[in-house]
Amino acid sequence: MKGPSAPSIRCRDLVSALAFAAEGPEGITFVTAREEEFTLSFRELYVRALRLAGALRERGIRAGDRVALVLPTGRGFVESLFGVLCCGAVPVPLYPPVRLGRMEEYHRATTRMLGASGARLVISDGRIRLLLGQAIAAARPELGLETVASLQQSTAAAFELRPSGDALGLVQFSSGSTVDPKPVALSHFNLVSQCAALKRMFPEREGVRQLGVSWLPLYHDMGLIGCLLLAVYYPGPLVLIPPEAFLARPALWLRALSRHRGTVSTAPNFAFGLCLKRIRDEELEGVDLSAWTWALNGAEPVSTELLRRFAERFRPYGFDPASLMPVYGLSEMSLAVTFTPRRWPLRAVMVDAGRLAKEGVVLLCPPVASLNAQLTDGVEQQDAMAGAQGPTKRSDTMSGAAGARVVEHGSPPASRRSPLAGGVAQDEVLAGAQVPMERDDRTGGAVGARVVEHGSPPASRRSPLAGGVAQDEVLAGAQGPTKRSDTMSGVAGARVVEHGSPPASRRSPLAGGVAQDEVLAGAQVPMERDDRTGGAVGASLVAHRSDSASPTAQRADGGARGDAVPCAPVRTERNVLVGGVAGVRVLASVGVPIPGVEVEVRDEGGHALGEDRVGRIFARGPSRMMGYLGDTEATARALRDGWLDTGDLGFWHDGELYISGRAKDLIIIRGANHAPQEFEDCIVDLPGVRTGCAVALGFVPDAGGSEELLIIAEAVAADPSLPERIRTAIVERTGIRPHTVKVVAPGTLPRTSSGKLRRGEALRRYLAGELSPPRAVNVLTVATELARSAAALVRSKAPRGTPG
């Protein structure tokens, strides 16, 4: 699929872009942790960058040389970046040390990246310099280490060199979530093409200039290219918040958006969740988010449920849910590949995880499932209707339990649905509702369903299940009001028995405390049910035919059988929003290609696939990387006939792209390809597991054996029952029992510079027996690290070959 045509480029290189921006009044506002602010205009930035370029020139930096920047987000980083560019050299942003308990790991990674990039000089600041000694001594950059302050104090004349568009403009290391970070080589043309495309994605409204607000680290492509370089190219005002300040107090982000009337701000999934967890109402006094038009969500798998809750939480402060925009991109494409349009509801689908894993076929949960949710007072969602003669409406507020409403044929139909307190959905089903219905629900976070049937003979009532699992009562032929009071504490179940003679109903609980749903309509035929053990939810839908012929059964058993076949002649649909339903994955659309970009989904033979087939995602366009710096083999594997093999898996559905996983992260169990998120999502809210701190991995425990499932999870505190609870949660949702569950201390799992879990590295460390928590940090360890760094810096200044 092709995006719109690539926009024309106003500036051929980043130095020209800064010179153009310097002609206007805009600039960058820096916000401190205390919410103190100061502004650096683009004009002043340009002057200071030329001065710093002269200092670099004086120290021997020439056109094309690489200069590493190990700096925090702030004025020093911005001035150094453009100083290197104005010198004709190539900046290489590297992340500063942020985990003092992992310094040995940091030194190894930084040494490797300095070597891979060929950096001749490292620029840091006075504080971080004190911790870089061991990496500098190991990498031995030719021109050593300089601080921003020492360069700014130089008396060298200002210098400017405007490079050609095809010159190397930036070395941006990939995230390293699956392999070690690779040096992505991006030309000036790649970068300004990306900025031009992004500029078109944020059209100005009449009388309103786009204004960006960001806390993202500038050593990461989303913060560097999507925020800083875009603001300069646009040009437009930008507000920068230190990432560490945001993590300590996420309200700073929203307060800055309100104070500056920010229109554009981007964040990964965890940031929206952090706002929900950590921001108190008193911190939002006077906050107005109504100007926030583009709330982009990228860099991590998108959680529609999390974004729905974010929209609900901050809607009273003027936040427009239509601002939420899932996006997809990667360093090798200079950042963005696809964008979703401004809209609400978010577009998402529920897919049969079994078929997806075994066959690469996208089968919407039978018979049809979609999550085109609309925010009203809760979340409005498509209804399941069979022979409905009038409109129906469904409004859910959910946070992890399934809800299903089925409206069966009848005259006249009636349906009513209301949210249950606690953020969990409930179900009401009325078929041929010629009698009133009354409902009394107590809160408790689980779904209940009461069904009132008309007709004769009456009477079936269902007694509660043990274990606090949701239950259903069915009254058939009720000629008067009925009342139900539920107290539940777990998972939803809904059984619906429609009118017919004689009526038939059957319900059997699944082990594990998880409910299931059965729907029979016109029960003159038997119901067939096949439940897999382990607590997985299944649904069997049987709809009657007017000629009393046998029905066509539709099954949703996690992919054990074939495609769903529509019931005839009655159309029955079931729509479930899941957080605890087995065999189902919820995937959010990441939209369509941005201007100038083309995307294909291909099979293993390299052939383009049609809709609803999973394959490898390929992309091309003017922002596609030049290659991996100094690594011709890796470049040849990634670039094919002008296309980039992203390494991501996904599919097209209704003309939009959905990401289903990473090829290198796949877990192959009994011949089926499973994305790790299938298993990780099962324990994301499990008490005792640190949120977002668990990885699912495939490994071969015995020589010559088959691949098995390994779960490594960080625990909040010591809990001997946690491994078995993790196993149970995964079995109940997927039907697959982990071979090994390893519970580790907080901070043990390796992460990328942007905070993403490194699954491949976690597996390597586990197999090598190197999976260990970070060292405890205290005054003594900090002093020891500073002393080692100082000694290493002294050694690094000695001539090569001189004994240390």
Side-chain angles (χ1 to χ4, degrees):
M1 175 178 289
K2 291 183 178 180
S5 60
S8 59
I9 296 172
R10 182 181 62 242
C11 303
R12 67 175 188 175
D13 64 85
L14 294 173
V15 178
S16 299
L18 177 59
F20 180 84
E23 297 175 5
E26 290 87 3
I28 303 170
T29 299
F30 298 91
V31 181
T32 71
R34 296 181 178 180
E35 294 188 275
E36 299 166 341
E37 298 184 353
F38 66 93
T39 299
L40 177 69
S41 70
F42 289 138
R43 181 184 301 277
E44 186 179 359
L45 172 59
Y46 184 39
V47 171
R48 295 179 69 85
L50 294 179
R51 186 184 308 145
L52 196 142
L56 291 172
R57 184 82 175 176
E58 183 181 56
R59 282 158 173 76
I61 294 296
R62 297 295 180 262
D65 286 348
R66 269 83 73 191
V67 177
L69 310 180
V70 188
L71 290 159
T73 295
R75 177 171 174 167
F77 184 104
V78 175
E79 292 180 357
S80 298
L81 176 85
F82 283 101
V84 171
L85 289 168
C86 289
C87 188
V90 182
V92 184
L94 302 181
Y95 63 98
V98 291
R99 303 175 77 182
L100 293 179
R102 292 284 193 190
M103 286 304 296
E104 291 182 5
E105 178 183 324
Y106 174 80
H107 293 317
R108 287 195 300 269
T110 303
T111 300
R112 191 190 69 80
M113 288 189 285
L114 287 173
S117 65
R120 294 188 67 212
L121 175 70
V122 177
I123 301 177
S124 188
D125 65 12
R127 181 172 55 89
I128 291 174
R129 174 187 180 277
L130 298 176
L131 294 170
L132 294 181
Q134 294 185 64
I136 296 298
R140 299 297 289 267
E142 183 181 350
L143 299 178
L145 172 66
E146 292 277 0
T147 65
V148 180
S150 65
L151 292 171
Q152 289 172 333
Q153 291 167 4
S154 170
T155 58
F159 180 82
E160 178 180 17
L161 174 65
R162 298 196 182 186
S164 64
D166 58 1
L168 183 61
L170 177 71
V171 175
Q172 174 73 58
F173 276 88
S174 60
S175 67
S177 56
T178 55
V179 295
D180 283 336
K182 293 194 280 294
V184 177
L186 300 172
S187 69
H188 281 265
F189 176 73
N190 293 151
L191 294 164
V192 295
S193 295
Q194 173 75 194
C195 291
L198 292 176
K199 184 177 186 295
R200 183 179 287 183
M201 301 307 296
F202 305 125
E204 291 185 5
R205 295 174 293 171
E206 184 176 353
V208 179
R209 293 279 285 161
Q210 301 294 8
L211 185 149
V213 176
S214 175
W215 58 266
L216 297 169
L218 294 180
Y219 53 77
H220 188 263
D221 55 4
M222 204 155 68
L224 176 60
I225 302 172
C227 297
L228 177 58
L229 296 187
L230 176 60
V232 170
Y233 181 89
Y234 192 83
L238 175 66
V239 177
L240 292 179
I241 304 165
E244 62 274 16
F246 164 76
L247 294 173
R249 190 183 167 202
L252 290 176
W253 181 31
L254 304 190
R255 289 169 64 88
L257 278 160
S258 172
R259 190 165 58 249
H260 292 274
R261 303 295 293 164
T263 61
V264 182
S265 196
T266 308
N269 227 49
F270 89 86
F272 294 96
L274 193 64
C275 289
L276 290 171
K277 290 180 181 178
R278 300 276 299 278
I279 296 179
R280 305 183 305 273
D281 285 349
E282 53 266 31
E283 294 181 283
L284 297 173
E285 185 177 350
V287 165
D288 178 6
L289 301 176
S290 60
W292 193 3
T293 310
W294 316 94
L296 279 62
N297 179 208
E300 294 178 348
V302 175
S303 168
T304 54
E305 167 61 12
L306 177 64
L307 295 186
R308 182 197 61 76
R309 289 193 289 120
F310 182 89
E312 286 186 349
R313 169 74 170 85
F314 297 105
R315 193 177 186 186
Y317 299 94
F319 182 73
D320 181 357
S323 301
L324 290 166
M325 297 174 60
V327 295
Y328 166 63
L330 64 165
S331 299
E332 288 85 345
M333 286 295 293
S334 300
L335 187 60
V337 175
T338 65
F339 263 49
T340 53
R342 265 183 57 84
R343 63 186 174 200
W344 189 262
L346 296 174
R347 184 166 296 176
V349 295
M350 292 181 298
V351 298
D352 184 319
R355 290 290 297 274
L356 197 71
K358 295 175 183 177
E359 305 170 34
V361 174
V362 178
L363 181 66
L364 302 187
C365 288
V368 173
S370 93
L371 296 178
N372 294 341
Q374 293 177 351
L375 192 69
T376 52
D377 292 333
V379 177
E380 190 174 292
Q381 188 173 344
Q382 290 181 350
D383 269 332
M385 294 183 290
Q389 299 176 3
T392 65
K393 181 179 181 181
R394 173 172 177 184
S395 176
D396 299 337
T397 52
M398 314 183 206
S399 65
R405 182 166 64 98
V406 180
V407 182
E408 295 295 337
H409 63 285
S411 177
S415 71
R416 180 170 69 90
R417 173 135 187 174
S418 59
L420 215 144
V424 184
Q426 58 184 333
D427 301 285
E428 297 175 357
V429 181
L430 290 79
Q434 299 175 352
V435 293
M437 167 177 163
E438 183 182 357
R439 170 121 187 199
D440 179 17
D441 292 316
R442 299 181 198 172
T443 62
V447 177
R450 190 186 54 142
V451 183
V452 182
E453 302 294 338
H454 79 285
S456 178
S460 73
R461 186 175 183 278
R462 171 112 192 266
S463 60
L465 284 172
V469 178
Q471 54 190 300
D472 304 286
E473 295 178 356
V474 179
L475 290 85
Q479 298 178 359
T482 65
K483 181 177 181 180
R484 168 158 182 198
S485 175
D486 297 317
T487 54
M488 308 173 219
S489 63
V491 185
R495 183 171 61 110
V496 183
V497 181
E498 297 297 336
H499 63 287
S501 178
S505 71
R506 180 168 71 94
R507 164 116 189 211
S508 59
L510 280 171
V514 181
Q516 54 187 316
D517 300 289
E518 298 175 358
V519 181
L520 286 76
Q524 297 178 344
V525 293
M527 181 193 103
E528 179 187 4
R529 177 81 190 241
D530 176 28
D531 293 320
R532 294 186 289 176
T533 59
V537 177
S540 178
L541 306 183
V542 183
H544 92 295
R545 298 181 58 155
S546 57
D547 58 4
S548 298
S550 297
T552 300
Q554 298 181 329
R555 313 183 51 84
D557 59 3
R561 302 202 177 182
D563 294 355
V565 181
C567 295
V570 180
R571 177 171 173 262
T572 305
E573 296 184 358
R574 175 169 179 219
N575 188 359
V576 182
L577 184 58
V578 249
V581 177
V584 171
R585 289 187 67 194
V586 180
L587 300 174
S589 166
V590 292
V592 297
I594 66 171
V597 171
E598 185 175 1
V599 179
E600 285 187 356
V601 175
R602 299 181 181 178
D603 62 18
E604 289 299 323
H607 303 103
L609 294 170
E611 291 215 334
D612 297 333
R613 297 301 301 268
V614 175
R616 294 178 77 99
I617 298 171
F618 283 72
R620 67 179 177 184
S623 60
R624 195 218 69 205
M625 70 173 181
M626 303 167 70
Y628 294 116
L629 187 69
D631 194 337
T632 55
E633 291 184 5
T635 300
R637 288 193 298 268
L639 300 183
R640 308 178 191 177
D641 299 324
W643 289 83
L644 169 71
D645 180 352
T646 67
D648 291 314
L649 301 175
F651 58 90
W652 295 109
H653 178 73
D654 284 346
E656 297 191 9
L657 185 66
Y658 291 76
I659 309 299
S660 58
R662 290 281 294 172
K664 291 185 178 180
D665 282 341
L666 285 178
I667 302 168
I668 305 173
I669 298 177
R670 293 183 287 280
N673 297 331
H674 297 270
Q677 290 86 357
E678 290 181 45
F679 308 109
E680 293 164 2
D681 288 350
C682 299
I683 57 175
V684 69
D685 293 321
L686 188 69
V689 176
R690 295 186 73 207
T691 302
C693 297
V695 292
L697 306 162
F699 80 126
V700 180
D702 304 307
S706 58
E707 187 161 290
E708 298 284 355
L709 178 60
L710 165 67
I711 302 294
I712 306 176
E714 293 183 3
V716 173
D719 180 358
S721 71
L722 187 57
E724 190 55 36
R725 290 195 291 113
I726 289 173
R727 283 191 177 92
T728 300
I730 291 174
V731 167
E732 288 177 351
R733 288 275 299 275
T734 69
I736 296 173
R737 184 175 179 82
H739 178 280
T740 301
V741 175
K742 176 75 171 177
V743 175
V744 297
T748 298
L749 289 170
R751 293 181 178 271
T752 69
S753 61
S754 59
K756 291 187 285 189
L757 291 167
R758 300 185 63 194
R759 297 186 181 90
E761 178 63 12
L763 179 59
R764 187 198 68 77
R765 293 186 190 182
Y766 172 79
L767 296 175
E770 299 173 357
L771 199 63
S772 59
R775 292 186 304 157
V777 176
N778 52 41
V779 174
L780 179 60
T781 57
V782 172
T784 301
E785 183 63 37
L786 291 173
R788 288 174 177 171
S789 179
L793 282 175
V794 171
R795 292 196 305 272
S796 71
K797 293 177 181 178
R800 292 181 184 273
T802 301

